[in-house]
Amino acid sequence: MRYRIIGVFGALALFAAGAGTGWHSRAAWSQPAGRRMSTDVLFRQTTDEIPRPVALRVHLNRWDPGSETGRHDHPGPVLHYVLEGELENIRDNGTDVMRAGEVKWEQPRVPHNVRNVQKRPARVLTIHFDPAT
């Protein structure tokens, strides 16, 4: 079988945009019963905030109980997928709680501080879409 390679950016774009809804590869359909690949759309965003060209980075962030990032911002938008735990994202206009299983979009250049106020660790998969320099 021949497969089309879409590359890292293409795969992340599918993840970020939820474009993979209902799509299954031929390899997934050829699996024995009970072993199929499936897709749940966790997040969908239409934006003109992604710079061209883009410096794409994927981070696995970990917060111990009581830890925080300190006030900072990002030059491009950021997509957060909370894998475990619960975090507070504190901005000038309020606080947003990020819980396990949720996906959040962070607009560029918005100062914020992310902190873990829980008694257990938190982990977040974060995709940065920064302007390429």
Side-chain angles (χ1 to χ4, degrees), residues 1 9-10 22-24 32 45 48 57 64 66 74-75 80 84-86 92 101 105 108 114 130 132:
M1 287 187 190
F9 183 74
W23 176 84
H24 302 283
Q45 177 81 23
D48 60 0
R57 293 180 293 129
D64 289 333
H74 304 279
H80 303 282
E84 168 183 15
E86 186 174 302
D92 293 341
W105 181 261
V114 180
D130 293 337

Side-chain angles (χ1 to χ4, degrees), residues 15-68:
F15 168 78
T21 305
W23 176 84
H24 302 283
S25 72
R26 283 184 259 164
W29 282 111
S30 67
Q31 296 296 317
R35 292 190 180 198
R36 288 195 174 150
M37 178 268 175
S38 67
T39 300
D40 294 321
V41 176
L42 300 176
F43 179 80
R44 185 177 301 239
Q45 177 81 23
T46 301
T47 182
D48 60 0
E49 297 171 325
I50 296 176
R52 297 183 198 275
V54 64
L56 185 67
R57 293 180 293 129
V58 179
H59 295 181
L60 178 58
N61 298 316
R62 297 175 193 88
W63 283 265
D64 289 333
S67 65
E68 61 186 280

Side-chain angles (χ1 to χ4, degrees), residues 68-88:
E68 61 186 280
T69 61
R71 189 172 165 86
H72 67 286
D73 66 11
H74 304 279
V78 178
L79 184 69
H80 303 282
Y81 176 57
V82 184
L83 299 168
E84 168 183 15
E86 186 174 302
L87 299 163
E88 290 182 344

Side-chain angles (χ1 to χ4, degrees), residues 82-111:
V82 184
L83 299 168
E84 168 183 15
E86 186 174 302
L87 299 163
E88 290 182 344
N89 190 359
I90 305 152
R91 292 184 227 73
D92 293 341
N93 64 351
T95 299
D96 184 30
V97 177
M98 302 180 353
R99 295 180 176 89
E102 293 181 343
V103 179
K104 300 288 184 168
W105 181 261
E106 186 78 41
Q107 293 180 321
R109 295 177 177 71
V110 176

